[in-house]
Amino acid sequence: MREDAAVRTEAVEQRIQKLGFVLRSTMPRTVEPLNFEAQKERVPFLDLGDDAVPAPVPTWSDFAPRTGRLRRLLTKEAHRQAAQATAEQAYTNALARYREQEAARLARIEERSRAHHEASGADRRRVLAHNAGVDRFRDRVLTGDPEAVSDYYARVFAPFAARPAGFPRGHRFGYVPESRLLLVEWRLPGIGVVPREREYRYNPATKSVGVHRWRSISEVRKVYGSVCAQLAIRTVHVALYADPDGLVQTVVFNGVVAPDNEGDGGRDPGQAKEGAGNRKEPVCLISMSASRRQFARLSPADLDDPLGELRSRFGARVSAFPDELTAVSPVLPYALADPHLVVAVSGKGPNLLAAPPEEFDRLMERLLERMGYQLTPLPQAPGSYLARRTTGGRAEQAVVHLRRRGGTLDTAEVRALGTAVRRQHAAEGLLLTTAGLEPQAYDYAHGRPLRLYAGRSLLALCRCHGLPARMDPPTAASAPGPVANGTAGPAAGSNGAGPGSSHPADRTRRRPTGHAHPSSTSRPTGPS
């Protein structure tokens, strides 16, 4: 029995050691983009057997009589002519037999090919359709289609989905093409993956083996945090190196755990069920973003403290109490990068890129009001608001910048938002823009209270709050021109009296929305 106690103690120590080597044991040696050609199937092959190779064609050299100076001297002319005639006849007969055999062989091939084509017609059509689908999928991936890129990375990560063995599956991927950003929502194991037992001993009184010492909850949290960090590093590494054509410059990793996941660590089982009963969505326990340039400075093979590296290098947000399912705010929620959600509403609602400035401003104000904010325009800062709301009995204040542009927004806009947050002593800053963001923008936002909603993320945010919208490039005739505050002004040639007018008199005649917001007279007179 004492030996059994020692064996159990050694087993839990080995489990702890294995958890410290999750990254090294599961990191692939080489990561390459998917080979689309290797995913294609081959058309069913027809085995022709001996008929696959034609018989050799008879040649005159095989039948010609021997000649030479000595033979001509020793052989009569009549004999030489008879031998020549015999050889010619044999050669002619051989050619005739060859032609007959070759014609028969070709006839057999044609018959077998016809039979094979009829028998394998369905398989052939299936293979050709499959290969055409692979080509279409490749083209969609290389053009940055969000659904295709998300599906591509689901295939890339399929071999790593449940490694180490026993870890959960069900990972999700989202792609924001405007910012070349890939979001990975990775299902984490519960904290029960870390054994609480530290030492077993034999109890002579009960003649049984039991736990003599338990692992402290602080140590359990530390080991669990290291496991989550290792999974995050592996995920970012694979995502960047499997990029097929420079599609991804920033990777956002959200590590989530199901509320009903087994193994809630040190919590009482009744408390675990009670806490999970009120939750339906996965709980985010770790969230980080890393640009390609940032991650290139990291050496995944030589990390002594993975969690510390993520916090210091990437400003990772990590739950301090994962055993209590205390969530952290994700850098970018999956709902704002879900390709299926964005595609579902892409054909509905106003066009954010071509709508008149007044309509764009009104839609963004309605969005913020549905998020619970009361807005006050900031003076001398078109397109900027001071937003207030009450959450959990506590008042919050945020700075909001609206920027309507195409292409990519300069990182200076994100820096300006951070400066405005400090100047207004706000809790956070929100950037709502139709443009994409550079990787440096996400680098700057690391560790700062800035929430960036760019491109399709803005569309998804509108959809989540019941405001369908779309972003179709405007035509040349209706394309609004840019103005100083970054939003779009009236179309060229407009007299300002149409629906795209930003005249102050038109802006003061807005219909009330029924939500709490500043009066129309307090709005800036210019477009925002």
Side-chain angles (χ1 to χ4, degrees):
M1 299 297 289
R2 288 182 173 82
E3 291 78 3
D4 185 33
V7 169
R8 293 190 183 186
T9 302
E10 181 66 20
V12 295
E13 288 303 320
Q14 289 181 358
R15 287 176 58 188
I16 292 293
Q17 292 179 7
K18 288 182 179 179
L19 293 177
F21 287 91
V22 167
L23 179 61
R24 297 181 183 179
S25 62
T26 62
M27 176 75 80
R29 293 185 178 180
T30 59
V31 179
E32 296 180 351
L34 287 183
N35 186 345
F36 293 101
E37 292 299 321
Q39 298 182 16
K40 293 184 177 180
E41 298 181 6
R42 299 295 177 261
V43 177
F45 175 72
L46 172 61
D47 185 9
L48 296 176
D50 295 337
D51 288 337
V53 180
V57 181
T59 59
W60 169 246
S61 60
D62 296 333
F63 297 89
R66 296 180 180 180
T67 59
R69 184 176 182 182
L70 180 60
R71 185 174 294 276
R72 286 196 300 270
L73 293 175
L74 299 178
T75 306
K76 294 181 179 181
E77 180 65 23
H79 291 172
R80 291 199 301 271
Q81 292 179 357
Q84 180 72 16
T86 302
E88 291 177 354
Q89 184 62 40
Y91 176 62
T92 302
N93 295 339
L95 282 177
R97 288 193 302 272
Y98 169 78
R99 294 189 181 98
E100 292 177 359
Q101 294 173 358
E102 184 64 14
R105 186 183 73 89
L106 294 177
R108 290 194 301 271
I109 290 177
E110 183 178 358
E111 180 63 26
R112 296 178 66 178
S113 298
R114 184 184 303 108
H116 174 76
H117 186 76
E118 293 176 355
S120 62
D123 288 341
R124 181 185 299 273
R125 289 189 294 271
R126 180 190 60 80
V127 170
L128 293 178
H130 169 79
N131 293 345
V134 172
D135 290 335
R136 289 193 299 270
F137 177 68
R138 177 196 58 204
D139 295 340
R140 291 176 59 205
V141 169
L142 297 182
T143 55
D145 179 76
E147 278 192 299
V149 175
S150 302
D151 188 17
Y152 170 85
Y153 274 100
R155 301 183 188 187
V156 167
F157 280 94
F160 316 102
R163 294 178 59 188
F167 277 34
R169 296 175 177 267
H171 318 302
R172 299 192 294 180
F173 305 87
Y175 181 64
V176 182
E178 295 84 1
S179 301
R180 291 192 290 176
L181 179 146
L182 176 71
L183 184 144
V184 182
E185 185 181 84
W186 197 267
R187 294 293 293 272
L188 301 173
I191 198 171
V193 72
V194 182
R196 288 294 312 276
E197 305 85 0
R198 176 181 291 278
E199 181 183 1
Y200 287 88
R201 281 193 182 180
Y202 173 69
N203 188 342
T206 60
K207 296 183 179 180
S208 62
V209 175
V211 179
H212 178 67
R213 284 196 303 163
W214 295 91
R215 207 173 303 276
S216 66
I217 189 61
S218 60
E219 182 181 356
V220 171
R221 292 168 180 167
K222 181 179 179 180
V223 174
Y224 183 72
S226 175
V227 172
C228 296
Q230 293 177 73
L231 293 176
I233 293 172
R234 184 190 68 178
T235 301
V236 176
H237 175 82
V238 173
L240 292 176
Y241 280 87
D243 185 355
D245 191 30
L247 298 174
V248 177
Q249 292 298 322
T250 303
V251 179
V252 173
F253 176 88
N254 292 338
V256 301
V257 64
D260 56 350
N261 199 15
E262 294 183 0
D264 289 305
R267 293 198 303 167
D268 179 79
Q271 295 178 355
K273 292 182 180 179
E274 180 181 357
N278 298 327
R279 299 178 184 265
K280 294 183 179 180
E281 293 296 324
V283 180
C284 184
L285 298 182
I286 178 173
S287 183
M288 60 163 286
S289 65
S291 67
R292 185 178 294 274
R293 184 182 63 176
Q294 272 187 319
F295 195 79
R297 303 169 184 168
L298 187 70
S299 178
D302 302 322
L303 295 180
D304 296 329
D305 183 12
L307 184 58
E309 291 287 344
L310 290 192
R311 281 174 166 160
S312 61
R313 291 176 179 265
F314 307 106
R317 307 170 185 177
V318 185
S319 173
F321 306 101
D323 51 302
E324 299 178 2
L325 295 183
T326 302
V328 298
S329 177
V331 174
L332 180 67
Y334 177 79
L336 301 186
D338 184 355
H340 307 290
L341 178 63
V342 173
V343 170
V345 301
S346 60
K348 302 179 181 179
N351 185 359
L352 299 184
L353 291 176
E358 179 179 328
E359 183 177 352
F360 176 79
D361 294 345
R362 184 163 55 246
L363 180 64
M364 293 297 100
E365 290 171 3
R366 290 177 59 195
L367 171 63
L368 292 165
E369 289 162 2
R370 293 194 180 189
M371 294 171 66
Y373 289 106
Q374 295 181 352
L375 306 179
T376 302
L378 291 175
Q380 307 301 324
S384 301
Y385 296 85
L386 193 62
R388 297 181 177 88
R389 69 177 178 181
T390 302
T391 304
R394 184 179 60 181
E396 295 181 355
Q397 182 170 279
V399 175
V400 181
H401 282 186
L402 307 182
R403 298 293 182 264
R404 181 170 72 162
R405 293 180 185 173
T408 303
L409 196 67
D410 192 86
T411 307
E413 294 284 358
V414 182
R415 296 181 181 273
L417 176 62
T419 302
V421 169
R422 293 192 298 270
R423 184 185 301 116
Q424 298 293 334
H425 304 287
E428 62 179 356
L430 282 71
L431 175 63
L432 308 182
T433 177
T434 56
L437 293 177
E438 299 175 342
Q440 293 81 356
Y442 291 98
D443 294 346
Y444 177 80
H446 292 160
R448 292 181 171 88
L450 303 179
R451 295 158 60 186
L452 311 179
Y453 302 104
R456 289 176 177 262
S457 298
L458 178 59
L459 285 182
L461 184 65
C462 293
R463 177 66 177 86
C464 290
H465 291 277
L467 295 173
R470 55 193 174 92
M471 286 197 307
D472 299 331
T475 60
S478 62
V483 293
N485 65 352
T487 61
S494 171
N495 60 5
S501 172
S502 58
H503 194 277
D506 293 330
R507 296 176 63 85
T508 58
R509 289 197 294 266
R510 292 179 181 173
R511 180 180 299 176
T513 61
H515 301 283
H517 60 77
S519 63
S520 58
T521 57
S522 64
R523 293 191 177 94
T525 58
S528 58

